[in-house]
Amino acid sequence: CDFGDGNFSTATHPNNTYHSPGQYLVELIATDELGCLDTTRNTITILEEVFVYVPNAFTPNGDRHNNYFSVSAINLTEFHIVIFNRWGELIFESKDTNFQWDGTFKGIPVPDGTYSWKINYTSINHDNKEITGFVTLLR
């Protein structure tokens, strides 16, 4: 198998890791027990890595550890997060991937509890996604 990136394999079930995005022409040549050959080719596209990590808890208690709710994201071109309380009231929103929510609403600390969030984003690969989840706030 020629993976199109300079790597080759003669394994029955070959695999490969692509280290750079791009298009690669993959060619597989199979031989049966009688020596008959068959070849197939296909171009695959490896996209840029896209990563969104959202923690599930934070502790805005002023101890300088885990005081803010924030996300880690790689290769997003658009981003929007909204956070709601248990009654569905919007208490925080941001369009900045580097946001930090300190656990307040209108300057007043919100109570301990579970808050729902929704993130809409567009990746560098032009994928539009919506993800949802919960974050627990503990003081």
Side-chain angles (χ1 to χ4, degrees):
C1 183
D2 177 352
F3 294 105
D5 65 348
N7 292 324
F8 298 86
S9 176
T10 58
T12 302
H13 301 287
N15 62 54
N16 189 46
T17 300
Y18 292 88
H19 297 285
S20 299
Q23 290 193 329
Y24 299 91
L25 177 63
V26 179
E27 181 178 69
L28 176 65
I29 301 171
T31 307
D32 69 10
E33 62 277 351
L34 298 175
C36 295
L37 297 174
D38 194 12
T39 303
T40 186
R41 292 176 192 86
N42 196 11
T43 300
I44 64 169
T45 301
I46 305 299
L47 300 174
E48 291 279 352
E49 175 185 18
V50 174
F51 175 81
V52 179
Y53 169 75
V54 185
N56 61 5
F58 75 116
T59 57
N61 57 11
D63 70 355
R64 299 187 315 184
H65 300 287
N66 204 24
N67 283 318
Y68 300 98
F69 174 65
S70 60
V71 302
S72 297
I74 296 173
N75 286 331
L76 303 186
T77 57
E78 293 181 31
F79 175 87
H80 184 225
I81 184 168
V82 289
I83 301 173
F84 302 94
N85 64 17
R86 65 186 333 174
W87 299 280
E89 181 181 16
L90 176 66
I91 60 172
F92 179 84
E93 74 177 311
S94 179
K95 292 189 175 189
D96 182 357
T97 56
N98 296 313
F99 79 91
Q100 291 185 322
W101 180 47
D102 61 1
T104 63
F105 176 54
K106 296 182 180 179
I108 300 170
V110 299
D112 284 8
T114 301
Y115 295 83
S116 61
W117 54 262
K118 178 172 69 171
I119 296 173
N120 288 293
Y121 69 85
T122 303
S123 76
I124 197 168
N125 301 318
H126 309 289
D127 294 327
N128 296 309
K129 301 273 183 174
E130 178 178 285
I131 56 175
T132 59
F134 301 94
V135 61
T136 301
L137 183 152
L138 302 166
R139 294 198 190 278

